[in-house]
């Protein structure tokens, strides 16, 4: 490992030092570390040049040759052992200052976990992309929940529709945690469904439920809200009418329908995802 003082920048120097960041991924980690280190010096000026996505020994050699021509220091985040070994050997031959950013930390983690690293480039970026995709999907599900802003269904990966208490919202949130943008549209006999629902018919999945089960769910809902259980919301005839209405709309859309009676959200999601993937294949 190169002593820290070998990377120090003289505050009296008029020449901006060049730092080459070599990476078998995008090189963001190496550049961020160089900038953080440079900020500790008076002027903090460094000329950072990335050499990303290095996959072969020839590419590493080319980057080292370029660096040697301008007397640059090398900072690297290579995880492929053969490339890393070649870099270190060649950098010594060229007399280049070089610092390994990932290696010491990975060695420490391996020592305490007793697990070998994957040595796969770009994993942190994949994790970040997965995380932000999930956050974006959750925000989408909240924004377009319960038919709010109907135009949102045009941007959804999946559109869930059905009458009240068929678990539309929990389902959409569960799908969001898998990075899928899901919107839901309630079906109410007194309100015409948005025309956008018919424009994205291939993305729509309908939810239905046995009337007796829905009757009990709605009665319990009214009870928890402190409302009369004789309310139309839990009226048997009303429930049958809503289910018939929803079935007619789903037939008109031509969408698959999932019966959520006694199904956990995870089970319903599995069925919905199955329909979604089959639909995506048909439209490829």
């Amino acid at each position: 490992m190169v002593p820290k003082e070998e990377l120090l920048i003289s505050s009296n120097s008029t020449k901006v030092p060049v730092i080459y960041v070599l990476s078998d991924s995008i090189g963001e980690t190496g550049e961020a570390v160089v900038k953080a280190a440079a900020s500790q010096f008076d002027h903090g000026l460094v000329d950072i040049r990335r050499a990303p996505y290095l996959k072969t020994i020839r590419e590493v050699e080319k980057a080292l040759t370029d660096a040697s021509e301008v007397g640059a220091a090398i900072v690297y985040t290579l995880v492929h052992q053969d490339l890393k070994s070649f870099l270190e050997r060649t950098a010594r031959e060229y007399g280049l200052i070089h610092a390994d950013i990932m290696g010491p930390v990975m060695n420490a983690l391996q020592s305490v976990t007793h697990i070998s690293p994957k040595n796969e480039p770009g994993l942190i970026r994949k994790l970040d992309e997965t995380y932000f995709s999930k956050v974006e999907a959750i925000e989408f599900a909240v924004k377009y929940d319960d038919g709010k802003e109907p135009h949102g269904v045009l941007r959804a990966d999946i559109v869930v529709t059905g009458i009240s208490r068929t678990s539309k919202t929990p389902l959409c949130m569960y799908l969001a945690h898998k990075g899928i943008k899901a919107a839901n549209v309630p079906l109410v006999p007194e309100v015409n469904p948005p025309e956008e629902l018919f424009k994205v018919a291939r993305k729509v999945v309908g939810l239905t439920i046995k009337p007796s089960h829905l009757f009990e769910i709605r009665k319990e809902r009214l009870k928890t809200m402190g409302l009369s259980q004789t309310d139309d919301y839990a009226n048997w005839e009303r429930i049958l009418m809503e289910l018939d209405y929803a079935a007619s709309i789903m037939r008109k859309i031509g969408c698959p329908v999932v019966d959520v009676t006694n199904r956990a959200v995870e089970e319903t999601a599995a069925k919905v995802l199955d329909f979604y993937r089959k639909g995506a294949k048909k439209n490829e």
Side-chain angles (χ1 to χ4, degrees):
M1 176 136 175
V2 178
K4 183 178 179 182
E5 55 270 19
E6 287 187 25
L7 291 177
L8 294 181
I9 303 168
S10 170
S11 59
N12 297 319
S13 175
T14 56
K15 183 181 178 182
V16 176
V18 179
I19 308 293
Y20 265 73
V21 177
L22 276 60
S23 175
D24 38 22
S25 185
I26 196 168
E28 284 181 338
T29 301
E31 182 171 348
V33 171
V34 171
K35 286 180 177 178
S39 71
Q40 297 298 312
F41 299 91
D42 289 341
H43 51 69
L45 295 176
V46 288
D47 179 1
I48 302 174
R49 303 180 186 180
R50 279 198 218 178
Y53 301 115
L54 300 176
K55 304 298 181 188
T56 66
I57 284 176
R58 181 175 294 180
E59 290 172 342
V60 173
E61 186 173 28
K62 173 66 167 59
L64 291 173
T65 301
D66 292 344
S68 67
E69 290 175 354
V70 294
I74 302 295
V75 169
Y76 56 100
T77 57
L78 299 176
V79 294
H80 280 146
Q81 279 303 124
D82 54 344
L83 296 183
K84 184 178 171 182
S85 298
F86 176 80
L87 182 153
E88 292 167 345
R89 183 173 63 253
T90 307
R92 284 194 295 270
E93 291 173 0
Y94 285 175
L96 295 173
I97 296 169
H98 54 288
D100 180 7
I101 289 177
M102 296 282 284
V105 179
M106 287 175 62
N107 290 339
L109 288 172
Q110 184 172 0
S111 296
V112 297
T113 63
H114 307 292
I115 298 172
S116 297
K118 294 180 178 179
N119 291 327
E120 181 181 337
L123 288 182
I124 189 169
R125 189 170 179 83
K126 290 178 184 176
L127 287 173
D128 285 346
E129 288 173 354
T130 300
Y131 171 76
F132 287 114
S133 174
K134 184 186 295 185
V135 170
E136 186 179 358
I138 291 170
E139 291 175 345
F140 186 92
V142 171
K143 184 174 182 179
Y144 299 112
D145 180 44
D146 207 30
K148 290 182 285 190
E149 300 187 50
H151 66 275
V153 304
L154 301 175
R155 296 175 45 225
D157 296 320
I158 293 175
V159 181
V160 177
T161 192
I163 64 174
S164 176
R165 312 315 293 177
T166 50
S167 301
K168 297 185 299 299
T169 297
L171 173 61
C172 287
M173 293 305 297
Y174 182 88
L175 293 170
H177 278 84
K178 293 188 172 295
I180 295 170
K181 294 178 180 175
N184 78 74
V185 177
L187 295 177
V188 183
E190 291 78 15
V191 181
N192 290 329
E195 58 184 47
E196 288 89 350
L197 192 61
F198 299 94
K199 292 180 180 178
V200 293
R202 62 186 179 82
K203 297 180 180 180
V204 179
V205 176
L207 301 183
T208 189
I209 189 171
K210 285 186 170 51
S212 57
H213 192 66
L214 180 58
F215 180 69
E216 295 301 324
I217 291 174
R218 288 193 174 183
K219 278 206 309 182
E220 191 60 33
R221 175 65 173 165
L222 291 173
K223 183 178 177 181
T224 58
M225 295 175 68
L227 299 175
S228 170
Q229 294 185 41
T230 60
D231 191 287
D232 269 356
Y233 187 67
N235 178 277
W236 181 256
E237 286 73 22
R238 169 72 188 188
I239 286 173
L240 293 177
M241 187 262 283
E242 286 187 37
L243 287 169
D244 286 344
Y245 170 75
S248 69
I249 296 297
M250 293 172 196
R251 283 194 298 271
K252 188 175 179 181
I253 296 170
C255 65
V257 178
V258 179
D259 189 337
V260 302
T261 307
N262 293 322
R263 281 187 191 271
V265 173
E266 295 86 351
E267 293 179 86
T268 303
K271 294 285 289 183
V272 170
L273 286 171
D274 187 46
F275 288 132
Y276 169 65
R277 288 170 186 137
K278 288 176 179 176
K281 286 181 181 178
K282 286 179 183 178
N283 290 282
E284 284 178 352

